[in-house]
């Protein structure tokens, strides 16, 4: 029997690789001789670099950069196996996880560190980029990234704007004379399934700002700042970024990449699955296991289990989703190729208990799911 594992990571618990390992242990308890193809992936968020570096035989590069509060840190990005493509996660240098709860303030946090990662890859001769937009602490529209790439954002007196989203309200001039010359020949693909525009009721500030520490008043002001930022970009660069679906991803970093790097936005999981050559791994597969921490209506917005379900549907391979918690709306996945949803909590337990024991729980649930699959296969006499 051939079994393919395509799990996502479980936030604050297990990496996608650890989830796949737990699944493998569970499978071995039931079928010791099964052929197991492990393909841990991501959908553009956390784990994207690790997944694509592993899948393509690439490597990681660690460089000194600045975090969202401009403190010196080290962060990594990946070079894929073609040695021509860099994959960068926004969270690596501009992530919410880099700040404690008291430090979260999207008025002042910056995407400067992400720009530094891009600049390092450009300096190494890389000209193709995949940027995963997820887990950011920023709301600066990619202004910090642009500053790290040599763009001068100036106020009415010709002075450089401070870092952070609130400073954008004073933007008067965009000077591109110092922009990194290699951007002229670089290609940027934004891996994201967020469809929010830059501003408005569904924009970056109002929808995602509160997750990053913004009060209602701060979110309203930041929305005003980004609106002004977009209007100056349109007036001086001739680029419309405000209403483009996905421009609001990662605090508007999507908009910044569109404006200053000439990027295009693509759905995260299909892009990553193509690069990882998932189709080749599914040849003659009998069953697919996937996983995530919580399954709900947000999963339907393009997260990994939805993509895996659609792949299973296309190849007529059953897909079992192992999840920490199946909330209202998760059953909609059954309409998109997911055969069965199996929560791995096996009794009353706290979230902390579930997180701490996730490895064992996933192994047990995977084993049980496989037993159910084998029993059903025998019952209806499938080959």
């Amino acid at each position: 029997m051939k079994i393919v594992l395509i799990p996502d990571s479980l936030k604050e618990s297990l990496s996608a690789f650890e989830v796949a390992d737990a699944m493998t242990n569970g499978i071995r308890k039931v079928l010791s001789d099964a052929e197991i193809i492990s393909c841990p992936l991501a959908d553009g968020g956390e784990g994207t670099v690790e997944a694509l570096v592993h899948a393509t035989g690439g490597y990681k590069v660690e460089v000194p950069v600045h975090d969202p509060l401009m403190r010196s840190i080290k962060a990594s990005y990946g070079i894929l196996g073609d040695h021509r493509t860099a994959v960068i996660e926004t969270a690596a240098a501009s992530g919410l996880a880099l700040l404690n709860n008291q430090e979260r303030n999207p008025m002042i946090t910056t995407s400067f560190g992400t720009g530094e990662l891009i600049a390092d890859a450009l300096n190494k001769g890389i000209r193709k980029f995949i940027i995963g937009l997820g887990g950011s602490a920023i709301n600066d529209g990619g202004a910090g990234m642009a500053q790290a790439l040599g763009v001068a954002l100036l106020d009415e007196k010709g002075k450089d704007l401070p870092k952070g989203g609130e400073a954008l309200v004073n933007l008067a001039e965009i000077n591109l004379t110092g922009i990194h010359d290699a951007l002229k020949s670089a290609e940027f693909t934004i891996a994201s399934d967020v469809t929010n525009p830059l501003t408005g009721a569904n924009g970056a500030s109002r929808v995602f700002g509160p997750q990053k520490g913004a009060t209602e008043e701060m979110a309203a002001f930041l929305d005003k700042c980004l609106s002004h930022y977009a209007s100056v970009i349109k007036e001086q660069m001739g680029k419309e970024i405000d209403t483009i679906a996905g421009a609001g991803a990662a605090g508007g970093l999507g908009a910044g990449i569109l404006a200053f790097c000439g990027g295009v936005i693509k759905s995260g999981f299909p892009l990553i699955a193509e690069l990882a050559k998932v189709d080749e791994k599914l040849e003659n597969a009998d069953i697919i296991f996937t996983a995530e921490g919580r399954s709900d209506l947000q999963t339907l917005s393009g997260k990994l289990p939805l993509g895996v379900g659609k792949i299973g549907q296309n190849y007529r391979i059953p897909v079992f989703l192992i999840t920490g918690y199946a909330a209202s709306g998760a059953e909609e996945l059954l309409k998109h190729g997911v055969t069965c949803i199996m929560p791995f909590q096996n009794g009353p337990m706290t979230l902390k208990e579930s997180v701490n024991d996730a490895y064992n729980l996933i192994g047990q649930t995977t084993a049980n799911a496989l037993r159910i699959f084998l029993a059903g296969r025998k019952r209806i006499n499938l080959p």
Side-chain angles (χ1 to χ4, degrees):
M1 174 173 284
K2 180 176 178 179
I3 302 171
V4 180
L5 312 179
I6 314 177
D8 200 350
S9 61
L10 274 61
K11 283 188 178 180
E12 299 181 16
S13 181
L14 300 175
S15 71
F17 291 85
E18 290 169 326
V19 174
D21 190 62
M23 288 178 158
T24 297
N25 286 342
I27 291 167
R28 292 294 183 214
K29 293 176 182 178
V30 182
L31 289 176
S32 59
D33 60 347
E35 178 187 359
I36 301 174
I37 306 297
S38 182
C39 185
L41 288 184
D43 51 25
E46 181 183 1
T48 297
V49 167
E50 195 75 31
L52 285 179
V53 164
H54 173 78
T56 64
Y59 58 94
K60 290 200 289 187
V61 177
E62 185 179 69
V63 294
V65 297
H66 292 86
D67 78 357
L69 294 176
M70 291 300 291
R71 299 174 298 200
S72 296
I73 61 169
K74 289 187 176 181
S76 299
Y77 65 91
I79 303 294
L80 302 191
D82 64 0
H83 301 287
R84 296 179 300 170
T85 304
V87 56
I88 296 173
E89 291 178 24
T90 304
S94 309
L96 199 60
L98 298 172
L99 309 178
N100 62 42
N101 289 338
Q102 289 70 40
E103 294 172 332
R104 296 178 179 184
N105 182 354
M107 300 280 277
I108 61 174
T109 48
T110 175
S111 56
F112 192 86
T114 297
E116 290 177 303
L117 291 177
I118 294 171
D120 186 81
L122 288 170
N123 293 339
K124 287 181 169 62
I126 299 297
R127 295 295 180 266
K128 292 184 69 175
F129 290 82
I130 298 167
I131 312 293
L133 303 186
S136 81
I138 56 176
N139 203 106
D140 71 346
M145 173 208 71
Q147 290 169 317
L149 291 171
V151 177
L153 303 177
L154 310 173
D155 63 18
E156 289 184 349
K157 296 181 180 179
K159 295 183 178 180
D160 289 319
L161 292 183
K163 305 296 187 294
E166 68 176 340
L168 296 177
V169 74
N170 296 316
L171 179 63
E173 180 186 350
I174 299 171
N175 189 322
L176 300 174
T177 56
I179 194 169
H180 202 300
D181 189 63
L183 287 172
K184 295 176 183 177
S185 56
E187 300 176 16
F188 284 79
T189 300
I190 302 166
S192 174
D193 290 293
V194 170
T195 58
N196 303 71
L198 181 62
T199 64
N202 294 315
S205 304
R206 295 184 185 275
V207 174
F208 304 112
Q211 301 171 10
K212 304 170 186 183
T215 63
E216 187 174 337
E217 292 76 15
M218 288 167 62
F221 180 71
L222 285 167
D223 186 62
K224 177 183 176 181
C225 294
L226 288 180
S227 181
H228 176 67
Y229 174 65
S231 69
V232 176
I233 287 174
K234 183 176 181 179
E235 178 185 341
Q236 298 186 14
M237 298 178 64
K239 295 184 178 182
E240 171 61 63
I241 60 170
D242 199 356
T243 59
I244 296 176
L253 180 60
I257 295 172
L258 292 172
F260 298 105
C261 303
V264 296
I265 299 174
K266 290 189 177 182
S267 184
F269 179 76
L271 171 66
I272 292 166
E274 179 182 353
L275 290 168
K277 299 182 179 179
V278 169
D279 287 357
E280 295 178 9
K281 295 175 173 63
L282 292 175
E283 186 176 356
N284 299 319
D286 295 283
I287 184 172
I288 301 170
F289 283 101
T290 187
E292 67 174 344
R294 175 187 170 96
S295 302
D296 53 27
L297 283 173
Q298 288 191 14
T299 307
L300 294 165
S301 67
K303 294 196 178 293
L304 185 143
L306 177 71
V308 175
K310 289 181 177 179
I311 288 177
Q313 200 169 40
N314 290 340
Y315 285 89
R316 304 188 70 176
I317 304 170
V319 175
F320 279 63
L321 168 59
I322 311 299
T323 182
Y325 178 65
S328 176
E331 67 277 2
E332 291 295 312
L333 289 166
L334 302 176
K335 300 176 183 177
H336 299 281
V338 174
T339 308
C340 184
I341 303 171
M342 298 191 68
F344 59 71
Q345 293 186 2
N346 59 7
M349 61 177 62
T350 65
L351 176 61
K352 183 178 180 180
E353 289 171 336
S354 176
V355 167
N356 289 342
D357 201 29
Y359 186 93
N360 292 325
L361 293 170
I362 289 170
Q364 294 167 9
T365 307
T366 303
N368 289 336
L370 183 56
R371 291 186 184 101
I372 292 169
F373 173 74
L374 293 172
R377 195 176 199 189
K378 182 177 181 182
R379 175 86 174 178
I380 59 178
N381 198 30
L382 287 174

